[in-house]
Amino acid sequence: MFEQRIKESCTRLQGWVALFCSLALVVCGFLQSPEADAATRTQVVQIHPGQVRNTIDPKVYGQFLEHIYHSADNGVWGQLIWNPSFEQGVGGGGRYWVASGSQIRQLGGGSGVVKTFGQAGWSNYEVSLDAKKISGQEGFLILFYDRNAKHFLWLNLGGWRDTQDAIQRSRGNNIPGVVVSQPTIHIKTGVWYHIRLRCHGPHVQAWVNGKKVFDQSLHGGSKFQGKVGIGTWQTQAAFKHIRITTIAGGKTLFSGVPKVKVVKAPPFNVRFWSTYGRGRVAPTEQDPRNSERCVKIVSTGSPTGVQQSDVCLRYAGEYRGSLWLRGAAPQGVVLRMVAGNKVLYQKNIATVTPDWGRVAFSFSVAKAFKRATLQIGLSGSGTAYVDEVSLMSQRAINNGGFRPDVLAAIKALKPTLIRWPGGGYTDGYQWMHGIGPDVDRVSERNAWNDDDPNDFGTDEYIHYCRLVGASPEICFDTGPSNASKKMREHFIRQACRWLEYCNSPVTNKWGALRAKYGHPKPYNVKYWEVGNEVWFTYKAPQYIKALVEFTTALKKIDPRIRIIACGSGGLNLKWNREIINADARYFNYLSIHQYVWPPYYINGARDYLNFIRKTGNIIRKSANPKIKMFVSEWNEMTIDWRTGIFAGMILTGFERQGSVVGMASPALFLRWVGQNKKDWNNALINFSRRSWFPAPNYVVMKFWRDHFAKYRVAATAVKGLEADATVSANHQTAYYKAVNLTDLPMHLTLAMGKGFPLGAVHAGTVAPSSDRVANTMHHPARIAPEPLKIAVSGQQVTFTVAGHSATIVTMRRAGK
């Protein structure tokens, strides 16, 4: 009996101990994991629709179109022929050096493509060489005092799209800062230039064809020694007669051609095109009709020509195109569209004259062909030159020239503002190269594997903005930080002429030019941005001076415009404070940029929203507290679900800080999927020739934009959620938007306050199974909004949000 009681007591004690331990574990779990607590209980969110915290400017749902990765000419624009005037070489931004005889040539593209040689201990030397531009829009780079890849100087002749010459120094960054600059001597294609560079300690002198162009004493360098080099920036060039000698005694340190790794040049260096037949086909700079290159076709009798495969005839119906021809071809030129072994269309061009002539063509197909080939060639003996080939579907033509499926994707986002043309593409952009007849426009080469033929210029941009319902915002180049007075006047003049072209009546010279090209009514572009990311080369006082000069000149032409100043990149509060405190009266918006790497997508968003708040506090205390912030470039650097979570956090933060954030636009906007995956890859719209798919940032931005409301109202905050509540301008609809930042589900009850009787309620959510899930061309809807189950009782709405999800609850006022 006693033993039995002892056993019963022990059993009861063990039970109490087990219960105590279980309770302790639960309590410890709650103490250690608030996420677990949130996942196991329902949290009440009180919404007060009558307590307006701030208004939200719809322009925070803007977009940014930069000419990068074929986003303009083959993304937005409906051109079906890629590289239509044969400007871009194989490999696009690739690079390769070829040494032949007494010459070394750089035949690739890319920015800052250099070949260094010599010894790191060289000093007090003179460089002598001849250089010739083969193609491209810039000139030559002559490196000196090159200690390593991060510390060097170079003489930049014909830089910034042949607008200035400069001596630049790199001190550990990728973009060398300008030491001194002047207007360019202009580097012509096909002309040899004799260049001499004398480096005597800190004293540097340079001559071009015997004319002294620089005489500069360097400061701040402890070691004036290093290798020598040659290079190009988005240009192809040849160098010869290279000789390095000592200043004292004239001893030869180097003479000849630097050794290069043998890289075989492609037999036909034209991207997206190939050849057929036994004759000779090659790009040439001999009298092109457009820009710098055309294609020369020579045949001694057999069919020979140039062709572009992978042309997508996306729709059944009519297609229209044209090309430019010249030469001597007694048996004419044949233009043919084929799909497999089937000839869809053929045109025999019997007459080819020595002068350039435009040949138009059109054809119809009864069904779509995802992959077709356009061929242009000789059927017999002769020589023909081909340039500026164009093809567009009638559907695109009816759209004003815009690609129908991409235009529909952009319209679905309902963008309120379009920033253009860059970004980095702004630097050196010549707006006059993008107006007038297509064949007379000059191609623009950029650093992102893309030669843009400028079919999409100012007039097309304005039309595009009108089609999608967005306000235009133009960003222009301010030139170098230490520009001479004459050079600064040049850049101010270009900006003023652009403004006049857009906003002046036809009685003005530039307004009359706009009317000549078919647009008599002024565009009235309101927003003008003074430079892009100028903090790369400018110090704040330099930029403030330029900002005042540009603003003063532009306001004289049109005092109604709104000026956007260049703000910080990253979390540089010092730059923002200097610009704001210098003279805030000269601008209306401060443009800021920030990108976040994938491992930090949640904390990165929090940090940036906090940074915006701090900048807003500086603005409130400034001479112009009405300044608004324009977050003109923001994004997370992936296209998996992490960028969707980031987009939801950022957009919610913009709405919450509506008193200071007036405009915003993410980047990238569009990206060709054929681009190297290692390159910048976070675009909202990802397109091929045939289709497109939305990245998670597109999905979330559309989700948020579709549920936009003017007023943010008071609502209970919930730990682990980035959320806000908004009410429409007519007070008939309320929204609750929430991003769950945890990996656990949360149970929520929305309690709608007085004055907003609940009527119809529905909810949607985007909740992938993992933050690494992504949409693709074959699976474009893996990440998409889905209906969310809710329960409504009186003034309360109860539901559960999944971990790492984005959710919106829509509540209508009863009786409406």
Side-chain angles (χ1 to χ4, degrees):
M1 180 72 72
F2 182 75
E3 288 179 354
Q4 180 66 29
R5 288 181 177 177
I6 292 294
K7 289 180 180 179
E8 291 175 354
S9 298
C10 289
T11 301
R12 286 195 295 269
L13 179 60
Q14 288 172 350
W16 283 108
V17 171
L19 177 61
F20 176 81
C21 291
S22 298
L23 290 171
L25 287 172
V26 170
V27 170
C28 290
F30 282 169
L31 291 174
Q32 294 175 2
S33 177
E35 293 180 2
D37 176 51
T40 56
R41 63 185 174 87
T42 299
Q43 301 187 76
V44 178
V45 177
Q46 299 284 347
I47 298 177
H48 306 282
Q51 297 181 24
V52 175
R53 291 290 184 254
N54 60 264
T55 58
I56 305 166
D57 195 317
K59 289 193 293 297
V60 298
Y61 289 93
Q63 297 295 339
F64 166 37
L65 176 61
E66 183 171 15
H67 295 238
I68 176 172
Y69 302 145
H70 298 271
S71 61
D73 191 58
N74 305 111
V76 171
W77 194 239
Q79 172 67 272
L80 299 180
I81 302 301
W82 292 48
N83 195 14
S85 59
F86 311 103
E87 303 302 321
Q88 190 174 16
V90 172
R95 54 192 66 185
Y96 55 89
W97 292 91
V98 176
S100 176
S102 62
Q103 291 187 27
I104 178 171
R105 292 174 292 161
Q106 203 296 103
L107 299 177
S111 302
V113 184
V114 300
K115 174 62 182 175
T116 59
F117 51 94
Q119 298 180 15
W122 281 0
S123 62
N124 297 331
Y125 50 73
E126 186 170 293
V127 182
S128 175
L129 57 83
D130 292 337
K132 178 180 72 172
K133 178 164 70 172
I134 298 172
S135 66
Q137 296 178 2
E138 303 210 354
F140 321 112
L141 303 174
I142 312 300
L143 284 76
F144 61 101
Y145 292 156
D146 184 303
R147 290 158 50 196
N148 53 51
K150 292 185 177 181
H151 294 86
F152 59 87
L153 290 102
W154 68 32
L155 172 66
N156 187 348
L157 299 175
W160 293 270
R161 290 182 172 86
D162 202 24
T163 61
Q164 60 179 306
D165 300 331
I167 293 176
Q168 295 175 260
R169 184 205 307 264
S170 177
R171 289 175 172 170
N173 51 21
N174 293 326
I175 301 180
V178 175
V179 176
V180 62
S181 65
Q182 64 177 24
T184 185
I185 58 174
H186 295 299
I187 305 298
K188 298 178 181 179
T189 300
V191 176
W192 284 102
Y193 292 85
H194 180 65
I195 300 166
R196 188 161 64 95
L197 179 67
R198 182 181 173 92
C199 307
H200 193 184
H203 189 201
V204 178
Q205 297 170 292
W207 294 261
V208 177
N209 291 341
K211 178 183 178 181
K212 183 180 286 187
V213 292
F214 284 108
D215 192 335
Q216 180 72 22
S217 291
L218 305 175
H219 300 283
S222 57
K223 291 185 178 181
F224 295 106
Q225 62 184 39
K227 298 180 181 180
V228 174
I230 52 178
T232 60
W233 191 283
Q234 302 172 28
T235 299
Q236 298 175 329
F239 301 87
K240 66 179 181 178
H241 300 155
I242 302 172
R243 189 163 181 253
I244 320 295
T245 57
T246 61
I247 291 176
K251 178 183 176 182
T252 299
L253 299 174
F254 178 89
S255 180
V257 176
K259 293 182 180 180
V260 297
K261 182 179 179 181
V262 177
V263 180
K264 187 178 179 181
F268 181 68
N269 183 28
V270 182
R271 198 173 192 204
F272 303 115
W273 294 88
S274 61
T275 65
Y276 67 89
R278 297 183 178 181
R280 300 195 311 273
V281 185
T284 177
E285 291 82 36
Q286 184 179 345
D287 186 28
R289 177 61 183 86
N290 177 272
S291 294
E292 296 173 347
R293 301 210 301 182
C294 61
V295 162
K296 181 180 181 181
I297 305 170
V298 180
S299 174
T300 58
S302 61
T304 300
V306 63
Q307 62 185 6
Q308 183 164 143
S309 302
D310 207 28
V311 177
C312 180
L313 306 179
R314 191 179 295 108
Y315 313 104
E318 189 170 9
Y319 291 79
R320 295 182 178 275
S322 66
L323 58 94
W324 287 77
L325 279 175
R326 69 176 178 88
Q331 294 174 280
V333 169
V334 176
L335 182 145
R336 185 184 297 113
M337 180 66 73
V338 300
N341 295 324
K342 184 176 181 180
V343 177
L344 305 179
Y345 169 74
Q346 180 168 312
K347 181 182 180 69
N348 297 311
I349 306 167
T351 304
V352 181
T353 67
D355 297 322
W356 285 108
R358 181 177 180 270
V359 178
F361 61 93
S362 64
F363 61 91
S364 294
V365 291
K367 66 174 186 177
F369 290 89
K370 291 186 177 181
R371 287 179 171 84
T373 298
L374 177 68
Q375 297 180 332
I376 307 164
L378 298 167
S379 56
S381 299
T383 300
Y385 295 82
V386 182
D387 205 352
E388 192 67 15
V389 185
S390 177
L391 181 65
M392 192 174 287
S393 71
Q394 189 60 49
R395 288 196 185 189
I397 294 170
N398 294 343
N399 272 339
F402 301 107
R403 178 171 160 172
D405 61 332
V406 173
L407 179 63
I410 294 169
K411 281 185 174 181
L413 283 171
K414 295 181 282 190
T416 50
L417 178 96
I418 302 292
R419 180 179 185 239
W420 178 82
Y425 190 74
T426 294
D427 299 336
Y429 176 70
Q430 305 291 307
W431 69 269
M432 289 190 67
H433 288 173
I435 60 174
D438 289 350
V439 72
D440 294 328
R441 299 188 183 189
V442 179
S443 293
E444 298 280 356
R445 179 166 295 172
N446 64 41
W448 297 284
N449 203 12
D450 186 0
D451 274 36
D452 195 297
N454 252 329
D455 289 344
F456 187 94
T458 300
D459 300 315
E460 291 75 23
Y461 161 67
I462 297 296
H463 189 195
Y464 156 76
C465 287
R466 290 174 176 173
L467 281 178
V468 302
S471 296
E473 187 268 317
I474 291 178
C475 181
F476 58 81
D477 187 11
T478 57
S481 57
N482 60 345
S484 64
K485 181 180 179 181
K486 183 177 180 180
M487 183 182 291
R488 180 75 69 209
E489 289 173 351
H490 164 78
F491 281 94
I492 292 173
R493 185 163 55 249
Q494 292 304 310
C496 288
R497 287 174 177 175
W498 202 356
L499 174 61
E500 289 180 271
Y501 183 86
C502 290
N503 290 8
S504 293
V506 295
T507 52
N508 172 278
K509 172 184 175 181
W510 299 99
L513 183 62
R514 182 191 66 244
K516 175 184 176 181
Y517 295 144
H519 308 280
K521 292 184 178 180
Y523 293 143
N524 295 321
V525 177
K526 183 177 181 180
Y527 303 103
W528 294 81
E529 187 172 353
V530 186
N532 172 73
E533 296 185 350
V534 298
W535 27 262
F536 270 124
T537 55
Y538 278 75
K539 293 181 180 179
Q542 293 174 313
Y543 177 66
I544 292 163
K545 180 181 179 182
L547 175 67
V548 171
E549 292 174 345
F550 276 95
T551 300
T552 302
L554 292 167
K555 288 274 190 175
K556 286 181 180 179
I557 296 169
D558 189 345
R560 302 167 299 172
I561 63 172
R562 296 291 181 267
I563 295 295
I564 302 166
C566 180
S568 60
L571 307 180
N572 189 347
L573 201 63
K574 181 177 181 292
W575 175 276
N576 287 349
R577 183 180 288 109
E578 287 187 76
I579 301 302
I580 294 166
N581 290 341
D583 203 332
R585 298 171 299 171
Y586 278 89
F587 60 96
N588 309 97
Y589 290 87
L590 186 71
S591 172
I592 61 175
H593 295 175
Q594 171 69 335
Y595 297 96
V596 171
W597 292 105
Y600 316 106
Y601 68 105
I602 291 178
N603 288 335
R606 286 171 172 162
D607 290 346
Y608 200 53
L609 292 172
N610 187 46
F611 173 79
I612 290 172
R613 180 186 59 78
K614 290 179 180 179
T615 300
N617 291 337
I618 297 172
I619 290 173
R620 291 187 189 96
K621 298 175 184 179
S622 73
N624 184 8
K626 293 182 179 181
I627 289 172
K628 291 293 184 74
M629 298 177 73
F630 177 22
V631 190
S632 54
E633 293 187 31
W634 63 265
N635 215 336
E636 191 265 353
M637 303 300 281
T638 65
I639 56 169
D640 59 31
W641 178 232
R642 287 173 293 181
T643 197
I645 293 289
F646 182 85
M649 292 181 69
I650 286 290
L651 291 169
T652 303
F654 291 165
E655 292 191 350
R656 191 168 58 250
Q657 300 197 57
S659 59
V660 66
V661 180
M663 300 192 298
S665 58
L668 292 172
F669 191 17
L670 300 99
R671 185 185 193 273
W672 172 46
V673 295
Q675 186 62 36
N676 191 327
K677 292 294 190 294
K678 294 182 180 180
D679 290 345
W680 196 3
N681 189 17
N682 67 346
L684 279 73
I685 295 172
N686 300 270
F687 66 92
S688 67
R689 294 193 188 227
R690 281 158 287 283
S691 188
W692 72 280
F693 73 85
N697 41 18
Y698 177 101
V699 173
V700 171
M701 195 165 192
K702 182 180 184 303
F703 197 27
W704 256 233
R705 178 71 179 107
D706 286 343
H707 299 85
F708 173 81
K710 183 176 182 180
Y711 301 112
R712 184 178 74 90
V713 297
T716 307
V718 177
K719 189 172 184 178
L721 291 184
E722 190 77 26
D724 71 353
T726 58
V727 175
S728 62
N730 62 7
H731 297 277
Q732 299 303 306
T733 307
Y735 302 106
Y736 182 73
K737 302 174 183 174
V739 182
N740 186 353
L741 307 181
T742 76
D743 58 4
L744 297 173
M746 290 191 184
H747 310 297
L748 302 175
T749 292
L750 306 183
M752 182 58 75
K754 295 180 181 180
F756 197 102
L758 279 181
V761 180
H762 64 270
T765 189
V766 187
S769 58
S770 163
D771 63 7
R772 299 303 196 272
V773 174
N775 289 337
T776 66
M777 200 65 74
H778 296 295
H779 300 282
R782 279 178 178 157
I783 298 174
E786 297 178 349
L788 179 67
K789 185 178 179 180
I790 59 174
V792 181
S793 177
Q795 287 290 96
Q796 294 188 336
V797 183
T798 301
F799 56 96
T800 299
V801 294
H804 286 163
S805 63
T807 300
I808 300 178
V809 180
T810 302
M811 297 161 280
R812 310 288 184 190
R813 181 186 288 269
K816 298 292 181 178

